[in-house]
Amino acid sequence: MISQAIFLFISGAEIGFILFIVLLVFGADKVPEIARGLGKAMRQVKDATNDIKSEISKGAEKQGIDIDITKDVRKEIDKVKDDVDEVTGPIKRKF
């Protein structure tokens, strides 16, 4: 379901048509080289974003800023669970 949104609502037939056009334009021998180049570029972008994330984390730790928001979110979820248990406690049924 989510993968459909990532591909910008392109169906399988449209992707196949695009690949066919790429094959016609660049030829069968160039397609693997292009795919390798795209893979390397995507890897470099991923590595760069990981480096940026780690630099931000290190800088935040040096400044004493807590960047782990999962603790805060977990705390809020637990509060809501406790509130729900308080309200539904007397009306719970055991099956």
Side-chain angles (χ1 to χ4, degrees), residues 4-16:
Q4 291 174 348
I6 292 174
F7 271 111
L8 303 173
F9 307 108
I10 297 177
S11 69
E14 292 167 339
I15 291 173

Side-chain angles (χ1 to χ4, degrees), residues 9-10 13 20-22 44 48 53 58 71 83 86 89-90 92:
F9 307 108
I10 297 177
F20 178 72
I21 297 298
V22 168
Q44 288 176 347
K53 286 180 189 177
K58 287 177 187 176
K71 293 177 190 174
D83 291 342
E86 262 181 40
K92 278 189 179 178

Side-chain angles (χ1 to χ4, degrees), residues 11-42:
S11 69
E14 292 167 339
I15 291 173
F17 183 72
I18 291 169
L19 291 175
F20 178 72
I21 297 298
V22 168
L23 185 64
L24 286 176
V25 171
F26 294 109
D29 56 336
K30 293 286 185 179
V31 172
E33 293 174 24
I34 293 170
R36 258 187 241 107
L38 287 173
K40 286 180 184 179
M42 289 172 50

Side-chain angles (χ1 to χ4, degrees), residues 41-55:
M42 289 172 50
R43 181 64 177 177
Q44 288 176 347
V45 168
K46 184 178 177 182
D47 290 342
T49 55
N50 287 337
D51 289 343
I52 291 170
K53 286 180 189 177
S54 67
E55 289 297 322

